[in-house]
Amino acid sequence: MRFKCESGIASGRWMGPNPAEVGQFDVEIEVPEEVADWTAGPSGATSLSEVGVDSATLITGRVVKFDDGDDSVVEIRVGSDILLIEIPNRRSELPAEGFISFRASEIQLYPYDL
């Protein structure tokens, strides 16, 4: 399903218990696969956008937090949202408080109530 948020327009898989309807929802965005490749992104611009014919999503966000140890989870801010992604390699090269861009073949959308 296609969705629109403050950071752009992309496609995602609705993971709610009921089918998605047209409307506005609060959702948690999840990237289910590990991020194997990323690049330093332009400062100040976070975004979600579809790229290519395979409907992959290009995500650009600001690195908020990561550990140097064995934990591969990295927090990035995309708009007002925090995404937890797994980056198994090159974590030492992540720009602290900088921006990164990566492609995700799938985004999952988990609705929640405030």
Side-chain angles (χ1 to χ4, degrees):
M1 77 176 281
R2 290 181 55 81
F3 67 94
K4 179 180 177 181
C5 64
E6 68 179 276
S7 298
I9 298 173
S11 292
R13 181 183 303 232
W14 183 257
M15 304 302 288
N18 299 316
E21 298 177 10
V22 175
Q24 185 170 338
F25 301 93
D26 294 308
V27 297
E28 177 182 330
I29 297 173
E30 184 173 306
V31 177
E33 75 256 7
E34 292 181 339
V35 175
D37 191 32
W38 57 268
T39 59
S43 294
T46 65
S47 65
L48 293 171
S49 60
E50 286 185 343
V51 292
V53 295
D54 60 356
S55 295
T57 302
L58 179 65
I59 300 173
T60 300
R62 183 176 60 84
V63 176
V64 175
K65 181 181 174 186
F66 63 94
D67 293 326
D68 292 329
D70 293 335
D71 188 1
S72 62
V73 175
V74 176
E75 289 182 34
I76 65 166
R77 179 171 295 282
V78 179
S80 61
D81 298 312
I82 294 288
L83 272 64
L84 301 177
I85 58 173
E86 287 195 54
I87 298 181
N89 304 316
R90 298 178 41 220
R91 281 192 319 280
S92 64
E93 299 173 30
L94 284 168
E97 299 295 319
F99 290 78
I100 62 169
S101 294
F102 61 93
R103 289 172 63 114
S105 61
E106 180 181 16
I107 290 179
Q108 296 176 342
L109 306 171
Y110 290 90
Y112 63 87
D113 293 323
L114 290 177

